[in-house]
Amino acid sequence: MGLVSEAMRAAVSNRCPHCRKAQFFPRYLEPPSACEACSADFTEHQAGDGAVFIVMLILCFVTVGSVVALELVFSPPAWAHGLAALAVSLGLALPMLPLVKRFMVAQSFLNDAGA
Ligand SMILES: [Zn+2]
């Protein structure tokens, strides 16, 4: 299995990319320093703000697209646009952030482990 699919599996299942036994991220967005089961070291594989940038990039297109579609179909008042954009942004950002961050940390770990 390729590195990307292995990293995707670790991100979606929230399991350690090395042993797949312990929980990968015990907290929402805070990467662990090491795995509780196999002691795999993740200290060199911290994603920083990379996940935030990627999620923002994706949400810019989705949110603007939904606002334009809403305007073309219903032409609601400005406050309704604001509420809809807020709901779309928060509704997608909150579940996407930990997923993308786990993927980035797992990808970095697996790429380094295979080198
Ligand atoms: Zn592990």
Side-chain angles (χ1 to χ4, degrees):
M1 194 178 285
L3 288 178
V4 173
S5 56
E6 283 288 328
M8 189 64 77
R9 175 191 292 196
V12 171
S13 67
N14 196 17
R15 292 284 159 199
C16 169
H18 187 249
C19 68
R20 298 182 192 160
K21 291 177 184 164
Q23 192 175 24
F24 189 22
F25 275 41
R27 296 176 148 206
Y28 180 63
L29 276 179
E30 187 178 332
S33 56
C35 174
E36 292 177 359
C38 68
S39 301
D41 186 10
F42 301 120
T43 53
E44 298 292 321
H45 307 286
Q46 306 296 311
D49 292 335
V52 174
F53 177 76
I54 290 174
V55 169
M56 277 183 2
L57 192 68
I58 293 168
L59 286 184
C60 280
F61 288 103
V62 172
T63 304
V64 170
S66 67
V67 166
V68 169
L70 189 66
E71 177 60 31
L72 291 176
V73 175
F74 298 109
S75 297
W79 63 266
H81 274 296
L83 279 180
L86 185 68
V88 168
S89 299
L90 286 178
L92 292 176
L94 293 178
M96 280 175 68
L97 269 172
L99 189 69
V100 172
K101 190 155 189 172
R102 287 193 301 254
F103 173 78
M104 292 179 77
V105 173
Q107 176 76 13
S108 173
F109 173 79
L110 292 169
N111 194 38
D112 193 41

